[in-house]
Amino acid sequence: MKKLAAFKSLLASPGRVVIVTHFKPDADALGSSLGLAGFLTKKGHQVSVITPSDYPDFLAWMPGNDSVIALTKDPGPEQQAAKLIQQATLIFCLDFSNLSRISNLGEMIKQSGAVKVLIDHHLEPEAFADFEQWSAEAASTAGLVFELIEELEEKSLIDRNIAACLYAGVMTDTGGFRHNNTRYREFQIASELVRLGADPHQIARQIYDTNSLERLRLTGYVLSEKLVVLPAYRTAYMMLSHEELKKFGAQTGDTEGLVNYGLSINNVKMSVLMYDRKEEIKLSFRSLGNFSVNELARKHFAGGGHRNASGGSSKLSLDDTLKKLLALLPEYQHLLLED
Ligand code: 5GP
Ligand code: MN
Protein backbone atom coordinates (compact mmCIF):
# COMPACT_ATOMS: atom_id res chain seq x y z
CA MET A 1 0.00 0.00 0.00
CA LYS A 2 1.16 3.49 -0.82
CA LYS A 3 1.25 5.89 2.15
CA LEU A 4 1.56 2.88 4.47
CA ALA A 5 2.95 4.95 7.34
CA ALA A 6 -0.03 7.29 7.25
CA PHE A 7 -2.40 4.32 7.11
CA LYS A 8 -0.63 2.72 10.03
CA SER A 9 -1.01 5.80 12.19
CA LEU A 10 -4.67 6.00 11.18
CA LEU A 11 -5.18 2.51 12.60
CA ALA A 12 -3.23 3.31 15.75
CA SER A 13 -6.11 5.01 17.56
CA PRO A 14 -9.54 3.37 17.94
CA GLY A 15 -12.04 4.38 15.29
CA ARG A 16 -15.56 3.66 14.14
CA VAL A 17 -15.08 1.40 11.17
CA VAL A 18 -17.56 0.33 8.51
CA ILE A 19 -16.71 -2.44 6.04
CA VAL A 20 -18.89 -2.68 2.94
CA THR A 21 -18.82 -5.23 0.18
CA HIS A 22 -20.76 -5.86 -3.03
CA PHE A 23 -24.35 -6.90 -3.78
CA LYS A 24 -24.97 -10.65 -3.33
CA PRO A 25 -21.56 -11.17 -1.71
CA ASP A 26 -19.66 -14.35 -2.52
CA ALA A 27 -17.14 -16.11 -0.26
CA ASP A 28 -14.35 -13.68 -1.20
CA ALA A 29 -16.48 -10.61 -0.56
CA LEU A 30 -17.78 -11.86 2.78
CA GLY A 31 -14.60 -13.69 3.83
CA SER A 32 -12.35 -10.70 3.18
CA SER A 33 -14.82 -8.41 5.01
CA LEU A 34 -15.17 -10.65 8.06
CA GLY A 35 -11.45 -11.42 8.12
CA LEU A 36 -10.63 -7.72 8.09
CA ALA A 37 -13.35 -7.06 10.67
CA GLY A 38 -11.83 -9.67 12.99
CA PHE A 39 -8.41 -8.10 12.64
CA LEU A 40 -9.57 -4.51 13.20
CA THR A 41 -11.69 -5.54 16.18
CA LYS A 42 -8.58 -7.07 17.74
CA LYS A 43 -6.82 -3.76 17.17
CA GLY A 44 -9.45 -2.07 19.30
CA HIS A 45 -11.74 -0.57 16.67
CA GLN A 46 -15.50 -0.64 16.69
CA VAL A 47 -16.32 -2.49 13.47
CA SER A 48 -19.52 -3.10 11.49
CA VAL A 49 -19.83 -5.15 8.31
CA ILE A 50 -22.61 -4.12 5.94
CA THR A 51 -23.73 -6.07 2.87
CA PRO A 52 -26.04 -4.47 0.27
CA SER A 53 -28.12 -7.68 0.08
CA ASP A 54 -28.49 -11.14 1.53
CA TYR A 55 -26.02 -13.92 0.71
CA PRO A 56 -25.99 -17.72 0.44
CA ASP A 57 -26.56 -19.93 3.48
CA PHE A 58 -23.35 -21.80 2.73
CA LEU A 59 -21.45 -18.71 3.94
CA ALA A 60 -23.26 -18.42 7.28
CA TRP A 61 -20.60 -20.49 9.10
CA MET A 62 -18.08 -17.66 8.81
CA PRO A 63 -17.06 -16.28 12.21
CA GLY A 64 -18.66 -12.85 12.57
CA ASN A 65 -21.63 -13.71 10.34
CA ASP A 66 -24.10 -13.09 13.14
CA SER A 67 -23.30 -9.41 13.41
CA VAL A 68 -23.40 -8.64 9.66
CA ILE A 69 -25.95 -6.00 8.73
CA ALA A 70 -27.49 -7.29 5.50
CA LEU A 71 -29.84 -4.93 3.68
CA THR A 72 -33.24 -6.36 2.83
CA LYS A 73 -36.55 -4.97 1.59
CA ASP A 74 -37.21 -4.10 5.21
CA PRO A 75 -36.09 -0.48 5.94
CA GLY A 76 -34.58 -1.35 9.37
CA PRO A 77 -31.11 -2.53 8.31
CA GLU A 78 -30.77 0.28 5.78
CA GLN A 79 -31.49 2.89 8.46
CA GLN A 80 -28.98 1.22 10.75
CA ALA A 81 -26.41 1.19 7.91
CA ALA A 82 -27.04 4.86 7.13
CA LYS A 83 -26.39 5.80 10.74
CA LEU A 84 -23.21 3.72 10.96
CA ILE A 85 -21.88 5.20 7.72
CA GLN A 86 -22.66 8.72 8.91
CA GLN A 87 -20.81 8.15 12.19
CA ALA A 88 -17.89 6.23 10.70
CA THR A 89 -14.37 7.55 10.85
CA LEU A 90 -13.06 4.91 8.45
CA ILE A 91 -14.88 3.10 5.63
CA PHE A 92 -13.45 0.07 3.84
CA CYS A 93 -14.83 -1.01 0.46
CA LEU A 94 -13.94 -4.61 -0.25
CA ASP A 95 -14.09 -6.74 -3.40
CA PHE A 96 -15.70 -4.10 -5.61
CA SER A 97 -14.45 -0.80 -6.91
CA ASN A 98 -17.43 1.08 -8.32
CA LEU A 99 -19.71 2.74 -5.80
CA SER A 100 -22.55 2.37 -8.31
CA ARG A 101 -22.44 -1.38 -7.66
CA ILE A 102 -23.85 -0.97 -4.16
CA SER A 103 -26.76 1.37 -5.02
CA ASN A 104 -27.98 3.43 -2.02
CA LEU A 105 -24.97 2.56 0.09
CA GLY A 106 -22.71 4.04 -2.59
CA GLU A 107 -24.43 7.41 -2.28
CA MET A 108 -24.16 7.32 1.52
CA ILE A 109 -20.45 6.54 1.29
CA LYS A 110 -19.86 9.33 -1.22
CA GLN A 111 -21.50 11.81 1.17
CA SER A 112 -19.60 10.59 4.21
CA GLY A 113 -16.60 12.50 5.53
CA ALA A 114 -14.86 9.30 6.69
CA VAL A 115 -11.47 8.24 5.37
CA LYS A 116 -12.06 5.68 2.61
CA VAL A 117 -10.02 2.60 1.88
CA LEU A 118 -10.39 0.38 -1.18
CA ILE A 119 -9.21 -3.23 -1.10
CA ASP A 120 -9.96 -4.92 -4.41
CA HIS A 121 -8.75 -6.90 -7.40
CA HIS A 122 -11.25 -5.98 -10.13
CA LEU A 123 -10.23 -4.22 -13.34
CA GLU A 124 -10.61 -0.45 -13.86
CA PRO A 125 -11.36 0.75 -10.31
CA GLU A 126 -13.09 4.04 -9.64
CA ALA A 127 -10.80 6.54 -7.91
CA PHE A 128 -12.71 7.47 -4.76
CA ALA A 129 -10.56 6.15 -1.92
CA ASP A 130 -7.88 7.84 0.19
CA PHE A 131 -5.96 4.57 0.54
CA GLU A 132 -5.86 1.64 -1.87
CA GLN A 133 -4.74 -1.94 -1.64
CA TRP A 134 -5.51 -2.81 -5.24
CA SER A 135 -4.05 -5.34 -7.65
CA ALA A 136 -5.66 -6.99 -10.65
CA GLU A 137 -3.05 -9.77 -10.44
CA ALA A 138 -4.24 -10.80 -7.00
CA ALA A 139 -6.65 -13.73 -7.28
CA SER A 140 -8.71 -12.61 -4.31
CA THR A 141 -9.52 -9.66 -2.10
CA ALA A 142 -9.01 -11.92 0.91
CA GLY A 143 -5.40 -12.40 -0.25
CA LEU A 144 -4.99 -8.62 -0.42
CA VAL A 145 -6.31 -8.28 3.13
CA PHE A 146 -3.75 -10.86 4.22
CA GLU A 147 -0.97 -8.95 2.43
CA LEU A 148 -2.06 -5.69 4.01
CA ILE A 149 -1.93 -7.24 7.48
CA GLU A 150 1.50 -8.58 6.58
CA GLU A 151 2.64 -5.11 5.43
CA LEU A 152 1.40 -3.72 8.73
CA GLU A 153 3.59 -6.35 10.44
CA GLU A 154 0.61 -7.62 12.44
CA LYS A 155 0.33 -11.19 11.19
CA SER A 156 0.46 -12.35 14.79
CA LEU A 157 -3.09 -11.01 15.21
CA ILE A 158 -4.48 -13.48 12.65
CA ASP A 159 -6.27 -16.17 14.66
CA ARG A 160 -8.02 -19.29 13.34
CA ASN A 161 -11.29 -17.41 12.76
CA ILE A 162 -9.71 -14.65 10.72
CA ALA A 163 -7.61 -17.23 8.88
CA ALA A 164 -10.71 -19.29 8.00
CA CYS A 165 -12.54 -16.28 6.54
CA LEU A 166 -9.55 -15.24 4.44
CA TYR A 167 -8.81 -18.81 3.31
CA ALA A 168 -12.40 -19.14 2.07
CA GLY A 169 -11.90 -16.10 -0.17
CA VAL A 170 -8.63 -17.34 -1.63
CA MET A 171 -10.05 -20.82 -2.21
CA THR A 172 -13.24 -19.74 -3.97
CA ASP A 173 -11.85 -16.93 -6.12
CA THR A 174 -9.26 -19.34 -7.51
CA GLY A 175 -12.01 -21.92 -8.08
CA GLY A 176 -10.28 -24.24 -5.61
CA PHE A 177 -6.79 -23.27 -6.87
CA ARG A 178 -7.72 -24.12 -10.47
CA HIS A 179 -8.34 -20.84 -12.32
CA ASN A 180 -5.60 -19.08 -14.29
CA ASN A 181 -5.32 -16.44 -11.55
CA THR A 182 -3.73 -19.04 -9.23
CA ARG A 183 -0.14 -17.95 -8.77
CA TYR A 184 2.61 -19.25 -6.51
CA ARG A 185 1.58 -16.39 -4.22
CA GLU A 186 -1.94 -17.80 -3.71
CA PHE A 187 -0.44 -21.06 -2.46
CA GLN A 188 1.90 -19.13 -0.18
CA ILE A 189 -0.96 -17.11 1.29
CA ALA A 190 -3.15 -20.21 1.60
CA SER A 191 -0.41 -22.18 3.32
CA GLU A 192 0.20 -19.33 5.78
CA LEU A 193 -3.52 -19.22 6.54
CA VAL A 194 -3.55 -22.98 7.13
CA ARG A 195 -0.57 -22.58 9.44
CA LEU A 196 -2.57 -19.92 11.31
CA GLY A 197 -5.50 -22.28 11.81
CA ALA A 198 -7.68 -22.42 8.67
CA ASP A 199 -8.94 -25.96 8.01
CA PRO A 200 -8.96 -26.55 4.22
CA HIS A 201 -11.15 -29.65 4.37
CA GLN A 202 -13.79 -28.10 6.63
CA ILE A 203 -13.93 -24.88 4.64
CA ALA A 204 -14.18 -26.69 1.29
CA ARG A 205 -16.95 -28.90 2.67
CA GLN A 206 -18.89 -25.99 4.09
CA ILE A 207 -18.75 -24.10 0.81
CA TYR A 208 -18.75 -26.74 -1.92
CA ASP A 209 -20.32 -29.81 -0.36
CA THR A 210 -23.41 -28.51 1.37
CA ASN A 211 -25.96 -28.64 -1.43
CA SER A 212 -29.67 -28.70 -0.83
CA LEU A 213 -31.51 -31.31 -2.88
CA GLU A 214 -33.28 -28.43 -4.66
CA ARG A 215 -29.99 -26.95 -5.75
CA LEU A 216 -28.79 -30.26 -7.17
CA ARG A 217 -32.10 -30.73 -9.01
CA LEU A 218 -31.78 -27.21 -10.42
CA THR A 219 -28.25 -28.01 -11.62
CA GLY A 220 -29.50 -31.20 -13.26
CA TYR A 221 -32.32 -29.34 -14.97
CA VAL A 222 -30.04 -26.60 -16.27
CA LEU A 223 -27.52 -29.08 -17.66
CA SER A 224 -30.08 -31.31 -19.32
CA GLU A 225 -32.63 -28.74 -20.51
CA LYS A 226 -31.16 -25.26 -20.54
CA LEU A 227 -27.60 -25.48 -21.77
CA VAL A 228 -27.22 -24.31 -25.36
CA VAL A 229 -23.98 -24.49 -27.36
CA LEU A 230 -23.29 -22.33 -30.41
CA PRO A 231 -20.24 -23.93 -32.08
CA ALA A 232 -19.96 -21.12 -34.65
CA TYR A 233 -19.19 -18.72 -31.79
CA ARG A 234 -17.60 -21.21 -29.41
CA THR A 235 -20.19 -19.98 -26.92
CA ALA A 236 -22.41 -21.77 -24.42
CA TYR A 237 -25.31 -20.13 -22.66
CA MET A 238 -27.97 -20.94 -20.09
CA MET A 239 -31.06 -18.97 -19.32
CA LEU A 240 -33.39 -19.27 -16.32
CA SER A 241 -36.70 -17.51 -15.89
CA HIS A 242 -38.04 -16.37 -12.56
CA GLU A 243 -40.72 -19.10 -12.77
CA GLU A 244 -38.09 -21.80 -13.26
CA LEU A 245 -36.05 -20.55 -10.30
CA LYS A 246 -39.20 -20.54 -8.22
CA LYS A 247 -40.24 -24.00 -9.35
CA PHE A 248 -36.91 -25.39 -8.12
CA GLY A 249 -37.08 -23.42 -4.89
CA ALA A 250 -33.81 -21.67 -5.78
CA GLN A 251 -32.18 -19.75 -2.93
CA THR A 252 -29.53 -17.03 -3.08
CA GLY A 253 -26.30 -18.65 -4.26
CA ASP A 254 -27.92 -21.68 -5.91
CA THR A 255 -26.95 -20.47 -9.40
CA GLU A 256 -23.32 -19.91 -8.35
CA GLY A 257 -20.99 -22.14 -10.35
CA LEU A 258 -23.51 -23.09 -13.05
CA VAL A 259 -21.78 -20.88 -15.61
CA ASN A 260 -18.54 -22.86 -15.21
CA TYR A 261 -20.14 -26.01 -16.63
CA GLY A 262 -20.54 -24.28 -19.97
CA LEU A 263 -16.85 -23.52 -20.09
CA SER A 264 -15.92 -27.16 -19.50
CA ILE A 265 -17.40 -28.18 -22.86
CA ASN A 266 -14.86 -29.09 -25.51
CA ASN A 267 -14.02 -26.12 -27.75
CA VAL A 268 -16.17 -23.60 -25.87
CA LYS A 269 -14.42 -20.29 -25.17
CA MET A 270 -17.18 -18.27 -23.53
CA SER A 271 -20.00 -19.31 -21.24
CA VAL A 272 -22.91 -17.09 -20.21
CA LEU A 273 -25.58 -17.57 -17.56
CA MET A 274 -28.61 -15.30 -17.59
CA TYR A 275 -31.31 -15.39 -14.96
CA ASP A 276 -34.22 -13.31 -13.90
CA ARG A 277 -33.75 -11.67 -10.51
CA LYS A 278 -37.07 -9.91 -11.05
CA GLU A 279 -35.73 -6.39 -10.53
CA GLU A 280 -33.22 -7.07 -13.33
CA ILE A 281 -31.63 -9.81 -15.40
CA LYS A 282 -28.33 -10.92 -13.93
CA LEU A 283 -25.59 -12.14 -16.25
CA SER A 284 -22.47 -14.15 -15.45
CA PHE A 285 -19.70 -14.48 -18.00
CA ARG A 286 -16.70 -16.80 -18.08
CA SER A 287 -14.06 -17.15 -20.79
CA LEU A 288 -10.80 -18.88 -21.56
CA GLY A 289 -7.55 -17.32 -22.78
CA ASN A 290 -7.35 -13.81 -24.18
CA PHE A 291 -11.04 -13.31 -24.77
CA SER A 292 -12.11 -10.58 -22.35
CA VAL A 293 -15.57 -10.96 -20.89
CA ASN A 294 -14.75 -7.90 -18.78
CA GLU A 295 -14.85 -5.83 -21.95
CA LEU A 296 -18.09 -7.40 -23.14
CA ALA A 297 -19.81 -7.05 -19.74
CA ARG A 298 -18.61 -3.48 -19.23
CA LYS A 299 -19.50 -2.27 -22.70
CA HIS A 300 -22.88 -3.92 -23.12
CA PHE A 301 -24.22 -5.08 -19.76
CA ALA A 302 -23.33 -2.33 -17.26
CA GLY A 303 -20.93 -4.70 -15.52
CA GLY A 304 -17.32 -5.79 -15.39
CA GLY A 305 -15.00 -7.90 -13.27
CA HIS A 306 -11.94 -9.78 -14.45
CA ARG A 307 -10.78 -10.71 -17.95
CA ASN A 308 -12.04 -14.29 -17.67
CA ALA A 309 -14.82 -13.89 -15.08
CA SER A 310 -17.26 -11.02 -15.14
CA GLY A 311 -20.84 -10.14 -14.39
CA GLY A 312 -23.41 -7.64 -15.48
CA SER A 313 -27.10 -6.88 -15.60
CA SER A 314 -29.83 -5.97 -18.02
CA LYS A 315 -33.10 -4.11 -17.64
CA LEU A 316 -34.55 -5.82 -20.74
CA SER A 317 -36.74 -8.90 -20.50
CA LEU A 318 -34.99 -12.25 -20.34
CA ASP A 319 -35.79 -12.98 -24.00
CA ASP A 320 -34.61 -9.56 -25.13
CA THR A 321 -31.42 -9.95 -23.08
CA LEU A 322 -30.72 -13.18 -24.96
CA LYS A 323 -31.46 -11.45 -28.27
CA LYS A 324 -29.04 -8.69 -27.35
CA LEU A 325 -26.33 -11.20 -26.50
CA LEU A 326 -26.87 -13.18 -29.71
CA ALA A 327 -26.79 -10.00 -31.79
CA LEU A 328 -23.40 -9.12 -30.27
CA LEU A 329 -21.75 -12.44 -31.07
CA PRO A 330 -20.89 -11.71 -34.74
CA GLU A 331 -18.91 -8.65 -33.60
CA TYR A 332 -16.84 -10.87 -31.28
CA GLN A 333 -16.69 -13.92 -33.54
CA HIS A 334 -13.14 -13.35 -34.81
CA LEU A 335 -11.88 -13.08 -31.21
CA LEU A 336 -13.85 -16.12 -30.10
CA LEU A 337 -12.44 -18.22 -32.93
CA GLU A 338 -8.79 -17.17 -32.30
CA ASP A 339 -6.30 -19.85 -31.13
P1 5GP B 1 -20.23 -13.75 -10.96
O1 5GP B 1 -20.47 -14.11 -12.37
O2 5GP B 1 -19.64 -14.90 -10.19
O3 5GP B 1 -21.40 -13.12 -10.29
O4 5GP B 1 -19.11 -12.63 -10.97
C1 5GP B 1 -17.89 -12.79 -11.64
C2 5GP B 1 -16.97 -11.62 -11.33
O5 5GP B 1 -17.53 -10.43 -11.88
C3 5GP B 1 -16.80 -11.35 -9.85
O6 5GP B 1 -15.49 -10.92 -9.62
C4 5GP B 1 -17.79 -10.27 -9.57
O7 5GP B 1 -17.37 -9.48 -8.49
C5 5GP B 1 -17.83 -9.49 -10.86
N1 5GP B 1 -19.19 -8.96 -11.13
C6 5GP B 1 -20.35 -9.65 -11.06
N2 5GP B 1 -21.40 -8.86 -11.38
C7 5GP B 1 -20.90 -7.64 -11.62
C8 5GP B 1 -21.50 -6.38 -11.96
O8 5GP B 1 -22.71 -6.25 -12.13
N3 5GP B 1 -20.63 -5.33 -12.14
C9 5GP B 1 -19.27 -5.46 -11.97
N4 5GP B 1 -18.52 -4.37 -12.15
N5 5GP B 1 -18.70 -6.61 -11.65
C10 5GP B 1 -19.48 -7.69 -11.47
MN1 MN C 1 -13.12 -11.32 -5.34
Side-chain angles (χ1 to χ4, degrees):
M1 173 182 278
K2 286 183 199 141
K3 305 186 279 181
L4 184 68
F7 184 68
K8 225 172 172 164
S9 63
L10 197 65
L11 291 189
S13 47
R16 288 186 299 275
V17 178
V18 164
I19 302 173
V20 184
T21 187
H22 60 74
F23 194 72
K24 297 282 171 185
D26 54 17
D28 187 36
L30 194 70
S32 60
S33 296
L34 289 175
L36 178 65
F39 168 73
L40 292 173
T41 303
K42 276 189 147 177
K43 279 190 65 70
H45 300 277
Q46 198 182 309
V47 188
S48 310
V49 174
I50 301 172
T51 64
S53 73
D54 65 339
Y55 48 82
D57 285 344
F58 58 77
L59 300 181
W61 60 270
M62 284 191 189
N65 168 69
D66 291 346
S67 50
V68 171
I69 298 158
L71 268 53
T72 54
K73 286 196 180 81
D74 187 38
E78 184 159 338
Q79 283 161 3
Q80 199 184 350
K83 202 166 160 200
L84 287 166
I85 290 172
Q86 226 170 40
Q87 295 171 342
T89 53
L90 195 52
I91 299 179
F92 287 84
C93 294
L94 263 60
D95 202 40
F96 73 99
S97 48
N98 292 82
L99 288 176
S100 60
R101 238 189 119 187
I102 54 168
S103 51
N104 287 355
L105 287 178
E107 264 318 303
M108 296 178 201
I109 291 172
K110 262 189 207 157
Q111 315 264 317
S112 144
V115 174
K116 286 151 203 160
V117 187
L118 172 77
I119 308 181
D120 185 45
H121 65 140
H122 289 94
L123 294 167
E124 301 171 58
E126 187 184 321
F128 66 86
D130 303 290
F131 295 92
E132 288 183 358
Q133 181 84 345
W134 179 88
S135 162
E137 270 82 57
S140 67
T141 298
L144 289 171
V145 169
F146 175 84
E147 289 184 328
L148 179 60
I149 296 173
E150 211 172 37
E151 281 180 52
L152 292 167
E153 298 174 60
E154 310 234 53
K155 228 163 54 178
S156 58
L157 288 183
I158 301 182
D159 58 27
R160 59 191 313 123
N161 287 343
I162 297 171
C165 292
L166 297 180
Y167 182 92
V170 181
M171 180 190 78
T172 52
D173 264 26
T174 54
F177 305 97
R178 283 160 44 186
H179 297 334
N180 64 1
N181 58 3
T182 313
R183 306 162 300 173
Y184 171 57
R185 186 72 185 124
E186 272 61 45
F187 287 104
Q188 274 184 323
I189 295 171
S191 77
E192 274 291 83
L193 292 170
V194 172
R195 185 178 68 79
L196 293 163
D199 181 337
H201 171 65
Q202 272 302 327
I203 295 170
R205 267 203 71 74
Q206 277 155 323
I207 290 183
Y208 293 130
D209 300 327
T210 53
N211 285 313
S212 62
L213 183 58
E214 288 84 359
R215 184 179 182 185
L216 285 183
R217 298 265 192 244
L218 175 70
T219 304
Y221 172 67
V222 170
L223 297 183
S224 70
E225 309 285 328
K226 307 299 294 187
L227 179 56
V228 180
V229 182
L230 304 171
Y233 299 106
R234 296 178 68 185
T235 293
Y237 71 85
M238 295 154 245
M239 200 165 79
L240 278 167
S241 69
H242 188 70
E243 290 67 38
E244 287 169 313
L245 289 167
K246 224 169 130 184
K247 183 176 149 202
F248 283 89
Q251 304 293 316
T252 296
D254 282 0
T255 53
E256 237 178 73
L258 285 176
V259 66
N260 295 313
Y261 285 105
L263 210 57
S264 70
I265 301 167
N266 208 3
N267 221 22
V268 164
K269 202 160 172 185
M270 172 166 72
S271 174
V272 188
L273 169 72
M274 289 159 271
Y275 62 93
D276 194 344
R277 252 185 196 163
K278 237 176 164 188
E279 57 276 16
E280 61 180 19
I281 306 299
K282 168 74 189 163
L283 295 103
S284 276
F285 300 92
R286 298 291 185 272
S287 66
L288 289 176
N290 290 330
F291 187 76
S292 171
V293 282
N294 172 62
E295 203 248 40
L296 180 76
R298 193 170 285 269
K299 205 164 154 191
H300 301 286
F301 295 100
H306 314 286
R307 187 186 60 194
N308 298 123
S310 282
S313 58
S314 154
K315 294 286 181 197
L316 301 170
S317 69
L318 191 58
D319 286 336
D320 287 345
T321 302
L322 174 63
K323 276 188 197 140
K324 179 174 172 176
L325 176 76
L326 296 180
L328 285 168
L329 291 178
E331 182 188 321
Y332 289 96
Q333 188 175 31
H334 66 290
L335 295 172
L336 288 162
L337 296 183
E338 256 176 24
D339 62 53

